Amino acid sequence: DQQVKQNSPSLSVQEGRISILNCDYTNSMFDYFLWYKKYPAEGPTFLISISSIKDKNEDGRFTVFLNKSAKHLSLHIVPSQPGDSAVYFCAASTGGFKTIFGAGTRLFVKA
Amino acid sequence: NAGVTQTPKFQVLKTGQSMTLQCAQDMNHNSMYWYRQDPGMGLRLIYYSASEGTTDKGEVPNGYNVSRLNKREFSLRLESAAPSQTSVYFCASSVELGQPQHFGDGTRLSIL
């Protein structure tokens, strides 16, 4: 039973355009959400997070949106750059200890 | 460079062998975690440690043991390795429990 789902295995975007990565969850008890970026042969890097009391959080080119009623969150990258090409994981936690990760979406940013 | 250091980076074991994966962080974080990543899947939590002296099971703890030796170090032990434990293992740490912030570069473990 996947509690955190990233339904798009891959996404291709032109440099300079917006990248939108989506994530759905099933557990309404999740109250904190995180996004990570991962390059090959490296560990994940924390990007941005959002608490369930908010619906938007922004950090530079990265913005995370949370729609609690739809149990959906998305990561927007504007503008996209070739260096953004990586695998992106969303994750959710229940204000405690167990953070559940999605399977990841591979983003390709074409120059 | 400060962060999370994992050793070894690669290891091949035979079925039934034992091994300890080492992890150390120098950011004075209270919480530490061990994850495994398998193809087509997200990271799955094996064990975590909320603070020095405490450890708890995650999603997939069977076949593993852990030790939080001190605040810096959190090791993962496979007592009798099985092919199903072939995976990439990541250690992580964080200030807040449940919000892993910093990851090591992983240990690629193959069990034949």
Side-chain angles (χ1 to χ4, degrees):
Chain A
D1 177 31
Q2 280 188 291
Q3 296 187 63
V4 178
K5 298 180 184 179
Q6 293 179 257
N7 291 318
S8 298
S10 65
L11 173 69
S12 185
V13 171
Q14 198 70 35
E15 181 181 8
R17 305 294 287 269
I18 184 171
S19 295
I20 300 176
L21 297 110
N22 294 303
C23 181
D24 297 298
Y25 61 95
T26 58
N27 188 345
S28 58
M29 298 300 291
F30 287 139
D31 60 4
Y32 200 80
F33 304 88
L34 309 95
W35 282 95
Y36 298 85
K37 176 170 71 174
K38 185 182 181 303
Y39 293 120
E42 294 184 9
T45 301
F46 170 74
L47 273 177
I48 192 169
S49 62
I50 188 167
S51 164
S52 61
I53 63 173
K54 296 186 175 182
D55 54 18
K56 177 182 175 181
N57 189 26
E58 192 171 355
D59 184 1
R61 296 186 299 115
F62 301 92
T63 303
V64 57
F65 294 92
L66 176 62
N67 183 335
K68 289 189 291 294
S69 61
K71 295 191 179 67
H72 178 83
L73 66 155
S74 60
L75 176 68
H76 294 207
I77 306 173
V78 184
S80 301
Q81 299 173 354
D84 295 329
S85 296
V87 177
Y88 289 79
F89 293 99
C90 70
S93 71
T94 55
F97 44 92
K98 294 184 182 179
T99 304
I100 307 296
F101 283 76
T105 296
R106 185 177 297 275
L107 175 65
F108 300 92
V109 180
K110 297 175 289 186
Chain B
N1 218 5
V4 178
T5 303
Q6 290 183 235
T7 55
K9 292 191 184 305
F10 303 93
Q11 185 70 47
V12 179
L13 294 177
K14 294 181 179 178
T15 297
Q17 286 186 316
S18 62
M19 164 154 201
T20 300
L21 280 60
Q22 306 287 352
C23 174
Q25 53 93 8
D26 57 7
M27 295 167 285
N28 204 36
H29 286 166
N30 287 321
S31 301
M32 297 186 73
Y33 317 79
W34 276 105
Y35 290 90
R36 59 178 288 174
Q37 185 189 14
D38 300 299
M41 301 184 74
L43 283 74
R44 290 183 293 168
L45 182 64
I46 305 171
Y47 271 92
Y48 68 97
S49 170
S51 61
E52 183 179 354
T54 69
T55 61
D56 282 288
K57 296 178 180 179
E59 297 174 77
V60 289
N62 290 344
Y64 305 95
N65 285 301
V66 290
S67 295
R68 182 74 183 267
L69 305 169
N70 47 56
K71 193 169 187 178
R72 289 187 64 246
E73 298 172 289
F74 188 37
S75 62
L76 178 72
R77 183 162 178 84
L78 287 70
E79 291 291 352
S80 179
S84 61
Q85 294 177 305
T86 292
S87 188
V88 181
Y89 291 85
F90 290 101
C91 176
S93 70
S94 66
V95 174
E96 297 284 344
L97 182 61
Q99 300 168 18
Q101 293 170 290
H102 297 271
F103 285 78
D105 285 338
T107 295
R108 291 186 175 274
L109 184 61
S110 293
I111 298 157
L112 307 176

